[in-house]
Amino acid sequence: MEFSARSAYRGGMTTSVALGMPRLREADPDVSARPDTPALIDRFGRVAEDLRVSLTDKCNLRCQYCMPEEGITPIASDRLLTDEEVIRLITIALDHLGIEEVRFTGGEPLLRKGLESIVAATSQMRTKSGVNPDISLTTNALGLKHRAQRLADAGLKRVNISIDAIDREAYHQLTRRDRLDDALAGAAAAQAAGLTPVKVNTVLMPGINDDQAVPLLKFCIDHGYELRFIEYMPLGPRGSWKRSDLITAEDILADLSTAFTLTPEVEPRGSAPAERWIVHENGEPVGRVGVIASVTRPFCGACDRTRLTADGKIRNCLFGSSEVDLTSLIRGGATDEEIAERWRAAMWIKKAGHGIDDEGFLQPDRPMSAIGG
Ligand code: SAM
Ligand code: SF4
């Protein structure tokens, strides 16, 4: 369908207050002020063009910053979007809402059986600029060794792989599983399949993997991977996050500077969350490193993301408390444009910032694994 101007949504909003709890309805006073544009614009002028699709809330790791040891109660299977529903929603996002990039995530997206066919269907779509969407995957890479080539053949372009330690014991302690070798094999297979640049995501936790920054960067440089540190955010097991325990971007850069010389990347950052540095060793540039300072240097003002959860809810922010349900619309026979209007309304009310540092900050009800990181 053509990317053409549509009238703004004038209806009420659906807000989910807790996973599995009844949803409250609340009128949003601002929705009537939304300009008449098909794009996913919000009240602060940001336009979302980057869609994060969570394909499952299940995972085969139990990273301490993300999941409790016992896991979380999974979304009931009849509430999960089917492959066809996921593909329809991505099509609407591209055809009606101006989405340019699609990233699949979770939970662990490799646990979704239909991943290859969802990627293949997405890669056949066109964005408003007439090109195929940019498709990427965030994964822990367990089992990627056997699927990287198939995913590349299906149209996947790049991967971000979570590897929080290069020391086997530290990886085991952080993820509560002894699977470092599988993650490394997955990264190597991704690189061999051309899913490049392979980016490695690392979250440092005090007393667990806080000595891993330098060895991980050495490892990534040696293997041609781009390492990005993400500040630990309050999105894991409730009560486990303390601001005072946070290993900040500043701490990480100070640690890396003991072994490397870092100079800021001159390329403008745009909406990318990572601040990037060129890494020099013995006076020679040897690679790049990024730091995503979500807590201490938030980048909400440049955020261009919209998120679809595995059970069909739109979240306009990782930290937001409101969700807008699309599953009931799809299953109730809504047209593509009706679904697009609901999606636009969900994004219009996005808040200016995540407010982690505000006194009244409340951690979202869903953990990161159920939102889609
Ligand atoms: N399972 C996949 C993985 O680990 O890459 C995809 C989902 S995971 C939720 C996506 C990203 O979120 C990972 O890079 C992970 O490190 C990050 N993440 C999870 N919980 C986090 C937290 N509390 N703070 C910062 N990053 C977090
Ligand atoms: Fe699983 Fe990814 Fe969360 Fe780790 S960060 S528990 S791999 S969803």
Side-chain angles (χ1 to χ4, degrees):
M1 186 182 283
E2 211 182 321
F3 188 69
S4 59
R6 300 280 172 180
S7 60
Y9 174 70
R10 313 268 176 217
M13 298 298 304
T14 303
T15 298
S16 163
V17 288
L19 195 56
M21 297 286 286
R23 287 190 296 278
L24 300 178
R25 293 194 70 79
E26 62 178 22
D28 187 274
D30 289 313
V31 173
S32 61
R34 190 185 176 281
D36 188 8
T37 168
L40 288 175
I41 191 167
D42 69 32
R43 292 169 296 165
F44 304 95
R46 294 167 297 191
V47 175
E49 294 188 331
D50 178 352
L51 169 62
R52 308 267 149 152
V53 181
S54 174
L55 292 175
T56 175
D57 59 339
K58 294 191 179 136
C59 191
N60 38 13
L61 294 182
R62 293 285 180 273
C63 303
Q64 297 208 25
Y65 50 72
C66 180
M67 284 249 202
E69 191 158 11
E70 66 280 10
I72 55 167
T73 310
I75 297 170
S77 54
D78 62 344
R79 290 178 51 219
L80 279 180
L81 293 173
T82 63
D83 291 358
E84 292 69 29
E85 288 169 338
V86 170
I87 291 165
R88 179 168 173 211
L89 289 174
I90 297 172
T91 310
I92 293 171
L94 268 72
D95 287 356
H96 292 250
L97 301 169
I99 289 297
E100 295 280 342
E101 287 178 46
V102 181
R103 174 173 293 275
F104 295 105
T105 180
E108 179 41 54
L110 290 174
L111 296 182
R112 176 93 183 205
K113 283 201 187 71
L115 177 63
E116 282 82 353
S117 55
I118 294 171
V119 168
T122 307
S123 75
Q124 298 305 310
M125 298 176 194
R126 291 270 186 279
T127 71
K128 65 177 185 294
S129 16
V131 297
N132 299 120
D134 187 54
I135 308 174
S136 55
L137 179 74
T138 302
T139 173
N140 62 27
L142 304 188
L144 186 57
K145 182 179 169 189
H146 307 292
R147 291 169 73 182
Q149 191 58 56
R150 254 185 289 148
L151 284 164
D153 293 344
L156 186 69
K157 295 280 178 279
R158 287 185 318 282
V159 287
N160 285 42
I161 298 181
S162 294
I163 304 177
D164 297 299
I166 201 61
D167 172 76
R168 186 173 160 186
E169 264 316 300
Y171 182 93
H172 186 168
Q173 195 189 346
L174 189 117
T175 63
R176 302 191 180 98
R177 301 287 186 271
D178 187 9
R179 304 289 302 270
L180 176 63
D181 289 348
D182 294 318
L184 297 182
Q191 192 168 50
L195 298 171
T196 52
V198 171
K199 292 189 181 165
V200 171
N201 289 349
T202 296
V203 178
L204 296 177
M205 295 188 77
I208 301 176
N209 62 340
D210 53 356
D211 60 349
Q212 291 293 294
V214 168
L216 260 171
L217 184 52
K218 280 190 198 297
F219 175 85
C220 287
I221 285 171
D222 287 350
H223 289 78
Y225 306 152
E226 189 172 318
L227 178 61
R228 297 137 37 100
F229 293 95
I230 309 174
E231 280 181 348
Y232 176 25
M233 298 180 277
L235 285 169
R238 201 157 282 279
S240 57
W241 187 89
K242 279 201 230 83
R243 180 71 155 84
S244 53
D245 283 351
L246 182 69
I247 298 173
T248 64
E250 208 180 324
D251 299 332
I252 296 164
L253 292 168
D255 187 10
L256 295 178
S257 300
T258 61
F260 304 97
T261 306
L262 305 178
T263 55
E265 175 74 85
V266 284
E267 255 177 48
R269 182 176 164 195
S271 59
E275 293 175 68
R276 301 207 304 168
W277 280 264
I278 300 176
V279 182
H280 297 258
E281 208 176 8
N282 305 319
E284 292 294 320
V286 287
R288 284 194 169 74
V289 65
V291 181
I292 304 182
S294 335
V295 180
T296 60
R297 298 206 275 263
F299 39 87
C300 303
C303 178
D304 69 345
R305 292 177 184 176
T306 182
R307 294 171 191 277
L308 174 65
T309 65
D311 54 349
K313 308 281 196 297
I314 296 302
R315 288 187 72 98
N316 57 27
C317 173
L318 265 181
F319 293 94
S321 54
S322 73
E323 293 184 346
V324 171
D325 181 40
L326 298 185
T327 314
S328 52
L329 280 187
I330 293 200
R331 296 185 184 171
T335 63
D336 287 359
E337 187 47 31
E338 283 165 346
I339 293 169
E341 286 285 283
R342 182 73 69 86
W343 200 324
R344 289 183 193 113
M347 294 308 294
W348 174 246
I349 58 163
K350 177 169 173 155
K351 290 189 177 148
H354 58 45
I356 293 176
D357 270 345
D358 297 351
E359 251 181 50
F361 173 76
L362 286 178
Q363 182 169 339
D365 291 303
R366 286 194 198 234
M368 185 73 138
S369 56
I371 297 172

